Amino acid sequence: MRNCVIFLAMTSLMSIVACTPSPESAALQNSTAAQSEIPLQPASDETFAAVDADRLMAAENEPGQWMSTGRTYSEQHYSPLDSINRSNVSDLGLVWYADFNIPRGQESTPLMIDGVIYVTTAWSNVRAFDAQTGASLWEFDAGVPGEWGVRACCDVVNRGAAAWQGKIYVGAIDGHLIAIDAATGEQVWKTDTLVSRDISYSITGAPRIVKGKVIIGNAGAEYGVRGYVSAYDAETGELAWRFYTVPGNPALGFESDIMEQAAATWNGEWWTLGGGGTVWDSMAYDPDLDLLYIGTGNGSPWNQGIRSPGGGDNLFLSSIVALDPDDGSYVWHYQTTPGETWDYTATQPIMVADLKLDGVERKVVMQAPKNGFFYVLDAATGEFISGEPYAAVNWATGIDPQTGRPIENPEARYDQTGRAYAVQPSSSGAHNWHPMAYHPGTGLVYLSASDNALVYAFDRNFDPNPLASNLGIDLAAGAAELGPNATADLPNGNALLAWNPVTQAPGWRFDNSSRAGVLATGGDLVFKGNDSGLSAYDAWSGEHLWDSIDVHTGVVAAPITYSLNGEQFVAVVAGSRSGNYYAPDYSRLLVFKPGGNEQLPQAISFTAPELNPPPREGSAEQIAQGQSLYEQNCFICHAEPGTGGYRSRIGLFPDLHYSAALDSSALFNAVVLDGVRSANGMVSFAEVLDEDAAEAIRVFLIDGANTQLGK
Ligand code: CA
């Protein structure tokens, strides 16, 4: 028997059914039989996002719900629902959709709680929808100033919300943590999580809620920040605790003994550029062990030779750290990449699972971080159990089973050799933020895995710049040293990979499959986005079983599944901005169910601008100077001009070879120095570039655009 209420929504005439299964009925929810909805109680705002500790701890018993970003605290992105399965997935069709009208990257995993979908969008806005009909319930605008966009390395994305006792929580790109009334969409409280607003912190990850505290980290290690994670009282927004992931300036005193110990693994004046180690995405929690797991990011700057001359492990960069969720105190850590120097974050999705290893059940933590090794660790102690490469790796030849430390390839340490090297994986990682999924039946972990490479070379002219990237690598010098084709013969491509964490070997792989988040279900299906919609695969064999209709944009976010009134739905956010910056925006929430036959509006035809640069001008020296300035200031967003860029941000920002502002210094300076496009995130760079510098960048782009035209 389920406890159900029906009440009128505040903003429209539609009604919502909200049901809280009792424990004995929860097990039945997995059946495909239709369930009746019975009005039992009067309307109450409390019914929205009525998530508490009991429900989150027992989320496994409510298979129809998706109450936290990974569905359960173990963050397995697995749902036991099985009424959509291998035999009928081909009947899956669109049942409703909702446009976002925000032409930026959409990376959010939705929540579905008691009949309501809560989903974040780019710019950290939040939407609520009736999960059955798609009717919009409310919209929340986080009010982020457009100028803050320049402080986000990789677009103004947001990966999801958290829910707790009638409230929805979002971490905004400008560093605020915001609590919203789940019934009305009104702001309840807002707090500034940033220790400084003068440097480029941002938030893109989903908050997690453990025992009444909202846990949130931040991003910014490309810009020169010090990473930390904070916990706030979910009711009041008051700061409960904060754990820094790297030590600060010793002269100011350490926050804790563990920071003093960490400082012994650093050299030089690392704190001047923050050190990095931002907790920009993944976390998991284990209620039995009462441990919170956080993943930490890369060093700031990337180049360890600049960041910590003479080396050192640089704790706690690129680590999984287990914390006591009550006070944020340190329990254990495992560092995936000691002395990180390649942007090898360990912020990639973390999950907790029970595995049978050598005949013994063990609770483990699993992660496939950027560095290309799949890790299985003991969840209680952090002990290294196993780690094998799941993609092309050449920075290390393996992991020492005794110490759990990587066996490095010395040539990959460009920061120590002073020589450029084509390193696999690249900074975009063998796996990135895209959620992975674990199916306890198949015993496989499903993830978007990539083979890629980047030439790393020591930036001899490194000059810290608060507005742009502080990487400490010089791409042009790398190309000059190794030639432009240094990575051409190395493996390159993306696959949907099914990985066996027990044997540390591939189960199956589906090649040529764009990077996206993954969902696994009890129907023995794996769902993943692609360049034009959503696809389903057989969880056992990898057989490609279903493609959605063309949704006119890419899907990179992770799908979810839920059940209402006995029907199973699959929901996913679309909007990758991949391909062409000038293409129309189709960012939207898409919901599918068997027999769904809703259609999307026709794609809007558009004409990409023609490459039409003005004639070359400027001296060879000026063009070379412009290239260097471009790489320091523009590259992180606009990528390699003329190619659309080598990173995941292809198409996200305009390719400047096509910019009409190249036509005159006045037009170019209006954008670059006067900041006329600040509202889009393209702020004035007058603090770091003068008119001569802007002109050098302009003539460099004109030169390149003419070369691209074959002139
Ligand atoms: Ca990074």
Side-chain angles (χ1 to χ4, degrees):
M1 194 62 219
R2 303 211 296 172
N3 303 310
C4 301
V5 291
I6 292 185
F7 47 85
L8 290 176
M10 60 311 309
T11 54
S12 70
L13 298 173
M14 34 94 38
S15 66
I16 296 172
V17 183
C19 303
T20 308
S22 57
E24 66 272 24
S25 73
L28 298 174
Q29 269 203 318
N30 202 6
S31 80
T32 55
Q35 292 146 351
S36 59
E37 308 293 346
I38 304 163
L40 294 175
Q41 286 169 27
S44 162
D45 285 355
E46 289 299 305
T47 317
F48 285 90
V51 172
D52 57 15
D54 289 345
R55 272 188 99 182
L56 283 184
M57 301 266 202
E60 206 49 67
N61 298 329
E62 294 192 60
Q65 309 277 343
W66 199 285
M67 295 185 287
S68 64
T69 193
R71 202 183 79 82
T72 66
Y73 274 137
S74 61
E75 306 261 342
Q76 292 177 1
H77 286 262
Y78 171 79
S79 166
L81 295 179
D82 61 2
S83 61
I84 300 170
N85 53 52
R86 290 178 291 179
S87 68
N88 63 9
V89 67
S90 56
D91 296 337
L92 212 53
L94 188 68
V95 60
W96 60 264
Y97 69 93
D99 288 337
F100 291 161
N101 299 314
I102 299 177
R104 302 295 279 257
Q106 308 291 345
E107 300 185 353
S108 181
T109 305
L111 305 177
M112 201 302 293
I113 304 163
D114 301 332
V116 179
I117 287 183
Y118 305 94
V119 62
T120 65
T121 70
W123 292 110
S124 355
N125 298 337
V126 189
R127 304 282 306 266
F129 298 95
D130 180 320
Q132 183 87 45
T133 66
S136 177
L137 303 183
W138 50 257
E139 299 183 32
F140 175 80
D141 186 332
V144 173
E147 304 89 87
W148 207 271
V150 79
R151 299 180 183 233
C153 74
C154 312
D155 198 15
V156 291
V157 294
N158 187 281
R159 298 192 197 85
W164 182 261
Q165 295 188 339
K167 297 184 196 65
I168 297 296
Y169 301 83
V170 63
I173 194 80
D174 66 352
H176 289 100
L177 179 66
I178 305 170
I180 303 160
D181 186 320
T184 64
E186 299 292 320
Q187 181 176 302
V188 179
W189 55 255
K190 175 176 179 175
T191 188
D192 187 355
T193 73
L194 302 189
V195 293
S196 168
R197 299 198 75 79
D198 298 329
I199 49 180
S200 293
Y201 279 112
S202 56
I203 299 178
T204 57
R208 268 55 164 200
I209 301 192
V210 177
K211 297 194 282 186
K213 293 187 179 70
V214 192
I215 323 284
I216 190 74
N218 46 54
E222 268 59 55
Y223 296 88
V225 303
R226 182 184 180 199
Y228 57 91
V229 59
S230 312
Y232 294 86
D233 183 293
E235 278 308 306
T236 65
E238 206 175 313
L239 181 68
W241 54 257
R242 173 165 289 151
F243 176 82
Y244 283 97
T245 60
V246 296
N249 183 348
L252 302 176
F254 295 108
E255 290 85 0
S256 61
D257 290 347
I258 197 69
M259 278 300 103
E260 187 166 6
Q261 292 167 39
T265 67
W266 290 76
N267 285 307
E269 298 188 344
W270 71 86
W271 58 88
T272 55
L273 272 168
T278 48
V279 184
W280 58 259
D281 196 52
S282 75
M283 294 181 229
Y285 172 64
D286 186 78
D288 298 333
L289 298 168
D290 196 23
L291 290 178
L292 171 72
Y293 306 100
I294 61 167
T296 71
N298 55 278
S300 178
W302 293 358
N303 183 335
Q304 196 196 19
I306 296 171
R307 184 180 72 238
S308 176
D313 283 355
N314 296 175
L315 294 172
F316 296 100
L317 296 181
S318 305
S319 301
I320 295 176
V321 185
L323 301 175
D324 179 335
D326 293 323
D327 60 6
S329 58
Y330 165 92
V331 180
W332 60 254
H333 79 276
Y334 175 80
Q335 189 173 39
T336 62
T337 314
E340 192 290 304
T341 196
W342 306 277
D343 188 23
Y344 284 168
T345 61
T347 47
Q348 280 55 55
I350 297 170
M351 59 170 67
V352 183
D354 294 311
L355 296 185
K356 200 165 205 173
L357 299 166
D358 295 327
V360 181
E361 282 279 340
R362 287 185 81 168
K363 180 167 283 189
V364 302
V365 168
M366 301 193 281
Q367 191 189 45
K370 274 189 184 179
N371 76 12
F373 287 90
F374 191 101
Y375 294 91
V376 177
L377 310 174
D378 185 285
T381 64
E383 178 200 345
F384 172 80
I385 296 173
S386 62
E388 292 293 336
Y390 63 90
V393 167
N394 73 0
W395 70 276
T397 55
I399 301 171
D400 183 317
Q402 300 307 315
T403 63
R405 293 179 68 90
I407 303 156
E408 282 191 12
N409 167 8
E411 286 189 282
R413 280 231 166 245
Y414 68 96
D415 56 310
Q416 289 179 10
T417 66
R419 290 187 302 276
Y421 195 73
V423 181
Q424 300 171 280
S426 78
S427 57
S428 69
H431 175 212
N432 209 300
W433 58 268
H434 311 88
M436 60 182 192
Y438 172 65
H439 188 309
T442 66
L444 297 172
V445 175
Y446 308 92
L447 69 148
S448 252
S450 300
D451 293 329
N452 46 42
L454 178 68
V455 173
Y456 291 73
F458 206 118
D459 183 358
R460 299 292 171 195
N461 305 307
F462 180 70
D463 184 15
N465 173 347
L467 275 180
S469 51
N470 289 292
L471 308 185
I473 67 164
D474 186 336
L475 297 166
E481 191 174 335
L482 300 186
N485 300 317
T487 62
D489 293 333
L490 297 174
N492 183 40
N494 305 314
L496 171 57
L497 175 67
W499 187 260
N500 185 327
V502 174
T503 62
Q504 288 280 15
W508 51 260
R509 60 183 290 141
F510 190 87
D511 284 314
N512 302 316
S513 186
S514 60
R515 299 182 112 172
V518 178
L519 162 71
T521 73
D524 289 343
L525 295 170
V526 173
F527 289 91
K528 190 186 77 68
N530 60 51
D531 287 336
S532 61
L534 187 64
S535 298
Y537 305 84
D538 184 321
W540 292 90
S541 68
E543 187 187 347
H544 184 184
L545 298 175
W546 171 78
D547 284 325
S548 74
I549 55 170
D550 185 341
V551 303
H552 313 313
T553 184
V555 172
V556 294
I560 65 163
T561 187
Y562 58 91
S563 68
L564 280 175
N565 304 319
E567 288 184 307
Q568 186 183 347
F569 298 78
V570 175
V572 73
V573 164
S576 66
R577 300 304 298 160
S578 64
N580 195 319
Y581 173 80
Y582 301 96
D585 169 48
Y586 296 107
S587 64
R588 49 177 55 131
L589 175 63
L590 302 157
V591 178
F592 302 89
K593 75 169 190 179
N597 60 5
E598 176 70 318
Q599 300 298 313
L600 291 170
Q602 287 272 307
I604 305 160
S605 67
F606 74 100
T607 312
E610 277 184 38
L611 191 59
N612 187 24
R616 279 194 176 87
E617 51 186 297
S619 66
E621 291 75 22
Q622 200 180 11
I623 290 167
Q625 186 206 358
Q627 176 174 6
S628 169
L629 290 165
Y630 180 91
E631 286 179 359
Q632 288 164 38
N633 296 283
C634 320
F635 178 85
I636 194 164
C637 287
H638 293 280
E640 195 73 24
T643 65
Y646 72 93
R647 288 182 150 203
S648 58
R649 297 189 297 285
I650 292 170
L652 197 55
F653 300 104
D655 181 332
L656 297 184
H657 277 181
Y658 294 83
S659 173
L662 296 181
D663 285 351
S664 76
S665 308
L667 285 170
F668 199 72
N669 291 351
V671 177
V672 174
L673 302 180
D674 301 340
V676 297
R677 293 185 189 153
S678 290
N680 297 333
M682 178 56 210
V683 298
S684 164
F685 276 66
E687 257 184 65
V688 287
L689 299 173
D690 59 16
E691 282 193 14
D692 287 347
E695 184 64 6
I697 294 171
R698 190 178 74 91
V699 300
F700 158 69
L701 289 166
I702 291 171
D703 177 68
N706 279 286
T707 302
Q708 190 183 340
L709 267 181
K711 287 188 184 172

